[in-house]
Amino acid sequence: LCPFEQRILNHNIFEVHEKLIEGMLRLATTKMGRNALRSLWYMDDRFIGYEESMRLLNETKPGFISNNTMAVAYRDHISLVKSNMGSAAVIELTPSWNSVGGHAAAWVREMRALIDEIEGDAHAKNIPISFYFEGMAPIMADIKQTMYASAPYYMGATIGLVVLFLTIISFRSAFIGVRLMATVAFSLAWVFGLVVILLQDIRISHSEGDGVHFIVPIVCVPVLVGLTLDYDLF
């Protein structure tokens, strides 16, 4: 196939993307809003079908002067969302809420499940199409998932090793290690409890956002453990 055949302008491709966009607009828990989409198949809060798309593009072929403002607007629109070769197109997603905030994890899960479903149906019908979900939301969701899958075990092992094993050896007392573990747990509970109450529940000083950022516990736990042991032991 010639790379300039504009393969994305295909009736089957339009049908697949229409199903995908309909699914995006009807996500179960993370409502984006109808104005949150911009694509080759969706403009100004409405779908552009294959026949209408071809008609609008034919009215604005190079060398033709069209008085149809919709046709002119559509050609300008697709220049922003379609590759020059016509082998790929972008669906821009702009939710009405913070895409890296509290809704991000659920949104990424729903989006990926929807994309897998639509792509699987397309492949079953021998429609050669692939979707890639990119942006800060999926990147941050993957980072969070990776960190939280391993960090608790490493932190727990490190705290247990330092607080219990080394202090028992250093001070030759089994009781001091247990007492330090209780002190560390008390400090962590107080700090994170107050953080949630002040910044997430009360929102002191009109703090913005959807709650405590996921990186806060990862960064704060080693610092708090170090300070607790420092002031308690020495």
Side-chain angles (χ1 to χ4, degrees), residues 157-201:
T158 303
I159 293 172
L161 175 66
V162 173
V163 176
L164 284 177
F165 185 70
L166 294 183
T167 52
I168 288 173
I169 292 177
S170 300
F171 295 95
R172 298 181 181 179
S173 172
F175 172 74
I176 193 170
V178 176
R179 187 181 67 80
L180 285 173
M181 286 290 287
T183 304
V184 168
F186 185 78
S187 299
L188 294 176
W190 262 97
V191 169
F192 290 122
L194 287 174
V195 166
V196 170
I197 291 172
L198 295 177
L199 300 181
Q200 185 168 307
D201 297 336

Side-chain angles (χ1 to χ4, degrees), residues 14 24 28 82 85-86 88 94 106-107 110 118 147 150 154-155 166 174 176-177 182 203 208 227:
F14 266 73
M24 289 178 178
K82 181 181 70 64
M85 292 184 179
T94 311
W107 183 51
E110 287 188 317
I118 299 296
M147 292 178 69
S150 57
Y154 287 114
M155 287 184 178
L166 294 183
I176 193 170
R203 294 184 180 270
E208 298 180 355
L227 290 174

Side-chain angles (χ1 to χ4, degrees), residues 217-229:
I218 304 293
V219 174
C220 287
V221 167
V223 176
L224 291 172
V225 171
L227 290 174
T228 300
L229 296 179

Side-chain angles (χ1 to χ4, degrees), residues 2-15:
C2 173
F4 293 96
E5 281 188 338
Q6 302 295 323
R7 284 173 286 171
I8 202 73
L9 299 177
N10 176 280
H11 187 272
N12 291 330
I13 300 295
F14 266 73
E15 286 187 353

